């Protein structure tokens, strides 16, 4: 086979631009930086997605709950009652349920064959409940409105304060599954003539002890009595013209640190005035703690049966001052996004933990959250906030609990018993889910206190609803998105263990979600204080940043998802 010799070829030297050696490294570095920033700081615009197919299953009897709220007297002078509190009663980290009940009114000669008492149901961790009311010492007959949970003596066990029509009750958790009433010793019964509604445990003066704030619906003249005061209202209902009643400021009790409290005579600055009458604002129904100015200290929003709420900011002196702004629309706590001055995008910041608690009580009209962003929340009872589909945004479950049985005569589209709606987050707007499937639930119903927790420990959040003069409703979340999640319980060591006011930042590849630890209070309801972070399509947590109430900053990395994590302040 012939071979072919090849003459060597002299390479031709190409002309190289003089700036190329300088530009090439710069271009490579720019590409690398853009890739890195695109990974670290993805575009904040989320793709639009369809509304979730809302699925709840009413499993009340199946999980062992058998509670019915009763007025106590027929005809009842009020249709407001029906409270529920979700808290860890026995320290096993599972969400237990406490219902309050009515009682015969002072003038009533109606005798119950079986007294209606409060009820405590313990959760075994799988969403099955056992009635332990009698064993816990909570089979109490009281004309109760609501209960708030908090560890007032900082012994590691969660106690209960119950607001009532008449003297309130303080129930100390003994740590062994039982409770002991300490109302008289603690000095927090209040006046016999007070009609109390909402309450909140907060460390007002930042001394590491939980103080107590109690709001009052009305106060009646002791000389006339409650029956006469209600009769003076002519219509014979609590929601009528409050003739015969007095308006009253909230009561503030300072924790002395020894199991006793001292009433603060100046109400710690919580003195909302009706501008039309010059008297205290009437008919307060709920309190919402939130960090409205993001200073690490919880502020307070007071809600009223009629009219807009009033925001009070926590002051450095250990009290409150009314928030004043020239703006006509309040936007504290609204979902915010960071905007970069350069062309590189920053991740979306979800900071909507407060807005869902503020705005559902602004009624009875449509309230604007932001330009082009509206939500119809037409009742002040029966709502709560939860990340229903674990997409990283908190939604609002509104059962539209109306407190006036005769409202339908005035507003034909607002019947006393109503159907619920779920308002979910679609980018920067709130939408009413087109359908809500409630298997096994005979709607409509008369919702009052509505609370949320992951009762069956499967990641998503369930609901429990106290009805007025009706059976409680337990709704199991059956959406089954399989979206990842992370749940946090914080325990402070340098302030009160509840860590109220702590700021938590959860960083994932696509989002930074910011939440504040605070008592999760609604109308006659309290949900667990745990923070549930839905991760949507993210499958890992890059880091968790906690700013504790003490000011200490803690950062955690390498956290596994789909777990309930307890973080203790170092």
């Amino acid at each position: 086979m012939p071979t072919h010799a090849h003459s060597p070829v002299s390479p031709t030297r190409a002309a190289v631009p003089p700036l190329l050696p300088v530009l090439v490294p710069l271009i490579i570095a720019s590409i690398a930086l853009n890739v890195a920033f695109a990974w670290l700081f993805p575009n904040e615009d989320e793709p639009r997605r369809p509304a979730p197919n809302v699925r709840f299953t009413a499993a009340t009897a199946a999980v062992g709950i058998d509670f019915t709220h009763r007025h106590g007297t027929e005809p009842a002078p009020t249709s407001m009652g029906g409270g529920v509190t979700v808290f860890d009663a026995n320290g096993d980290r599972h969400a237990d349920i406490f219902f309050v009940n009515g009682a015969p009114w002072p003038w009533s000669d109606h005798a119950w064959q079986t007294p209606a008492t409060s009820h405590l149901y313990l959760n075994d961790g799988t969403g099955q409940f056992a009635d332990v009311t009698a064993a816990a010492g909570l089979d109490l007959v009281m004309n109760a409105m609501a209960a708030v949970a908090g560890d007032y003596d900082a012994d590691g066990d969660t106690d209960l304060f119950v607001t009532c029509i008449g003297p309130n009750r303080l129930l100390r958790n003994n740590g062994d599954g039982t409770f002991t009433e300490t109302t008289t010793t603690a000095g927090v019964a209040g006046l016999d003539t007070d009609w109390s509604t909402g309450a909140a445990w907060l460390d007002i003066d930042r001394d590491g002890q939980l103080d107590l704030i109690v709001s009052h619906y009305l106060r009646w003249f002791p000389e006339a009595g409650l029956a006469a005061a209600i009769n003076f209202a002519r219509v014979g209902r609590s929601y009528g013209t409050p003739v015969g009643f007095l308006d009253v400021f909230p009561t503030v009790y300072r924790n002395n640190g020894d199991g006793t409290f001292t009433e603060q005579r100046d109400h710690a600055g919580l003195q909302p005035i009706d501008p039309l009458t010059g008297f205290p604002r009437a008919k307060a129904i709920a309190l919402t703690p939130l960090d409205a100015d993001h200073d690490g200290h919880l502020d307070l929003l007071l809600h009223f049966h009629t009219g807009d709420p009033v925001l009070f900011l926590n002051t450095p002196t250990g009290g409150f001052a009314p928030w004043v702004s020239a703006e006509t629309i309040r936007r504290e706590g609204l979902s915010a996004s960071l905007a970069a001055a350069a062309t590189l995008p920053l991740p979306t910041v979800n900071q909507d933990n407060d807005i869902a608690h503020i705005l559902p009580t602004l009624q009875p009209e449509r309230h604007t959250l932001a330009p082009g962003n509206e939500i119809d929340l037409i009742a002040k009872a029966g709502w709560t906030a939860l990340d229903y589909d674990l997409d990283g945004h908190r939604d609002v479950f509104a059962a539209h609990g109306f407190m006036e049985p005769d409202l339908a005569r005035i507003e034909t589209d607002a019947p006393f018993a109503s159907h619920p709606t779920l308002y979910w987050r679609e980018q920067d707007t709130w939408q009413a889910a087109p359908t809500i499937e409630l298997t096994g639930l005979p709607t409509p119903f008369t919702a009052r206190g509505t609370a949320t927790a992951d009762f069956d420990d499967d990641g998503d959040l369930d609901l429990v609803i106290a009805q007025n003069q009706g059976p409680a409703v337990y709704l199991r979340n059956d959406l089954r998105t399989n979206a990842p999640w992370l749940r946090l319980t914080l325990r402070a060591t340098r302030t009160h263990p509840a860590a109220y006011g702590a700021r938590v930042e959860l960083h994932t590849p696509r989002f930074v979600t910011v939440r504040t630890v605070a008592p999760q209070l609604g109308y006659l309801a309290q949900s667990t204080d745990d923070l549930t972070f839905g991760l949507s399509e993210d499958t890992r947590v890059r880091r968790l940043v906690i700013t504790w109430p003490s000011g200490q900053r803690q950062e955690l990395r390498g956290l596994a998802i789909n777990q309930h994590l307890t973080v203790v302040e170092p």
Side-chain angles (χ1 to χ4, degrees), residues 150-385:
D151 184 7
Y152 79 89
D153 50 4
D155 64 352
D157 305 310
T158 306
D159 314 298
L160 289 169
F161 178 79
V162 183
T163 62
C164 299
I165 301 174
N168 300 313
R169 315 284 280 271
L170 179 61
L171 307 170
R172 182 181 181 273
N173 191 329
N174 300 318
D176 60 358
T178 66
F179 290 77
T180 300
E181 184 174 356
T182 58
T183 312
T184 303
T185 302
V188 293
L191 298 180
D192 293 349
T193 54
D194 277 348
W195 183 329
S196 302
T197 46
W201 292 104
L202 292 180
D203 183 3
I204 300 172
D205 49 7
R206 310 172 192 179
D207 64 351
Q209 304 287 340
L210 289 185
D211 309 302
L212 179 63
I213 304 170
V214 184
S215 65
H216 308 292
Y217 189 69
L218 292 167
R219 176 180 292 168
W220 61 91
F221 293 98
E223 297 82 6
L226 179 57
I230 290 178
N231 287 333
F232 288 153
R234 297 183 183 278
V235 294
R237 294 289 188 271
S238 65
Y239 47 83
T241 304
V243 179
F245 291 96
L246 297 170
D247 307 331
V248 58
F249 292 131
T251 302
V252 177
Y253 298 99
R254 298 282 185 172
N255 192 331
N256 299 322
D258 58 0
T260 67
F261 293 78
T262 300
E263 182 178 345
Q264 187 153 347
R265 296 301 177 182
D266 65 354
H267 310 278
L270 294 173
Q271 302 183 52
I273 299 292
D274 189 328
L276 296 179
T277 65
F279 293 107
R281 283 280 301 272
K283 299 194 287 187
I285 59 172
L287 303 172
T288 299
L290 71 159
D291 187 3
D293 51 3
H294 307 296
D295 65 351
H297 303 291
L298 292 184
D299 311 302
L300 202 61
L301 197 69
L302 273 65
H303 306 280
F304 301 88
H305 193 162
T306 57
D308 289 342
V310 179
L311 176 65
F312 287 85
L313 299 181
N314 190 292
T315 65
T317 58
F320 294 91
W323 175 75
V324 179
S325 174
E327 295 186 8
T328 58
I329 298 178
R330 182 161 43 241
R331 286 188 172 83
E332 62 272 349
L334 279 170
S335 180
S337 295
L338 291 176
T343 57
L344 294 172
L346 289 177
T348 297
V349 177
N350 300 326
Q351 195 167 343
D352 56 3
N353 58 310
D354 296 328
I355 190 63
H357 282 307
I358 295 172
L359 294 173
T361 56
L362 301 181
Q363 74 103 11
E365 61 205 9
R366 177 181 299 230
H367 185 81
T368 300
L369 304 183
N373 185 354
E374 296 179 338
I375 181 171
D376 278 323
L377 294 162
I378 55 178
K380 294 192 176 185
W383 60 266
T384 191

Side-chain angles (χ1 to χ4, degrees), residues 72-84:
T73 298
E74 295 297 338
T78 177
S79 56
M80 291 175 57
V84 61

Side-chain angles (χ1 to χ4, degrees), residues 55-56 388 458 460-462 475-480:
R55 296 176 181 171
F56 287 103
Y388 166 74
D458 64 351
D460 54 32
L461 294 169
D462 313 296
L475 296 180
R476 187 180 65 233
N477 187 338
D478 283 338
L479 181 61
R480 309 299 185 206

Side-chain angles (χ1 to χ4, degrees), residues 49-70:
R49 54 188 176 79
N53 184 11
V54 183
R55 296 176 181 171
F56 287 103
T57 298
T60 314
V63 300
I65 296 175
D66 181 20
F67 172 81
T68 297
H69 175 267
R70 295 168 67 180

